[in-house]
Amino acid sequence: MIKKEKILKDIKNRITFLIKHLSKKKLEEKLGFEEIDFSDLYFPKYTFQYISPGGNSSMSVDVKFDLENLEKFIEYLSEKIKWQNSVEGQRALMTPKLREFIKERDNYTCRICHNSTEKEPNLLLEIDHIVPISRGGKTEVENLQTLRWKCNRRKGAKLVV
């Protein structure tokens, strides 16, 4: 079903009988639906190419971004965004580089008890989500803090100010 038909079906019950049956053409014009000829429309073609590190083998694929492929691409991106907003996606964003950045920013010091690796060299520090992922928190620099492992266990999924 094309989008025009979908929209018309969705608003079917919201339109009075007279408008729906006697002035369908006028309604379509008001909604901005016009007949469009896509036969001469240009669709870009992208070439994706892989060359092995040694340069011994290569492969290329041409993808024409016509309406069907564009729709599939939008669907793919939508699924990717949903995954990134999921718990698994947020946990996957926590990279070793990000962990180290947060510890450096917090000067290797627990934000709750203020114990640090300077005072206690073997102190086990963890990175904690201030607003827990289970409560909609994101893996973003502003939502991350350094905590001593005991403080992190005590905090759990609570919001501690």
Side-chain angles (χ1 to χ4, degrees):
M1 182 181 293
I2 59 176
K3 290 190 181 207
K4 172 184 168 182
E5 291 170 0
K6 260 186 176 177
I7 292 171
L8 289 173
K9 185 179 176 192
D10 287 345
I11 63 173
K12 182 179 177 183
N13 296 330
R14 300 180 199 155
I15 304 169
T16 64
F17 179 81
L18 290 174
I19 295 173
K20 186 169 61 178
H21 290 291
L22 300 179
S23 306
K24 186 175 181 193
K25 192 78 172 160
K26 197 168 193 171
L27 175 64
E28 288 178 354
E29 286 173 14
K30 284 269 189 205
L31 292 174
F33 296 129
E34 298 172 13
E35 291 297 318
I36 300 172
D37 178 23
F38 287 114
S39 63
D40 63 343
L41 192 62
Y42 168 75
F43 293 107
K45 180 179 86 171
Y46 294 93
T47 301
F48 296 92
Q49 188 171 20
Y50 166 78
I51 300 173
S52 67
N56 298 329
S57 65
S58 67
M59 178 186 358
S60 70
V61 176
D62 292 334
V63 177
K64 185 177 183 182
F65 268 90
D66 57 11
L67 296 178
E68 183 182 339
N69 282 337
L70 195 56
E71 194 73 34
K72 288 178 185 175
F73 184 61
I74 290 168
E75 199 172 299
Y76 167 78
L77 288 177
S78 171
E79 287 302 312
K80 192 92 167 138
I81 290 168
K82 283 181 195 171
W83 181 81
Q84 281 189 337
N85 288 331
S86 70
V87 171
E88 297 84 16
Q90 287 301 309
R91 295 220 182 275
L93 292 172
M94 183 68 82
T95 62
K97 189 175 180 179
L98 179 60
R99 288 177 197 278
E100 191 58 31
F101 175 80
I102 300 301
K103 287 178 187 176
E104 281 180 26
R105 181 199 67 190
D106 293 346
N107 202 22
Y108 298 93
T109 303
C110 175
R111 287 248 184 115
I112 292 178
C113 71
H114 306 292
N115 203 348
S116 71
T117 54
E118 192 175 297
K119 295 177 194 171
E120 192 178 322
N122 294 324
L123 183 66
L124 182 59
L125 295 173
E126 298 178 344
I127 303 304
D128 170 64
H129 288 82
I130 298 167
V131 175
I133 293 174
S134 62
R135 294 186 177 209
K138 303 284 184 211
T139 302
E140 298 169 338
V141 172
E142 306 81 35
N143 190 43
L144 297 172
Q145 65 182 347
T146 304
L147 294 183
R148 184 174 61 117
W149 73 273
K150 276 187 177 181
C151 294
N152 197 15
R153 296 301 175 283
R154 199 173 307 125
K155 177 186 174 271
K158 294 182 277 231
L159 293 170
V160 178
V161 182

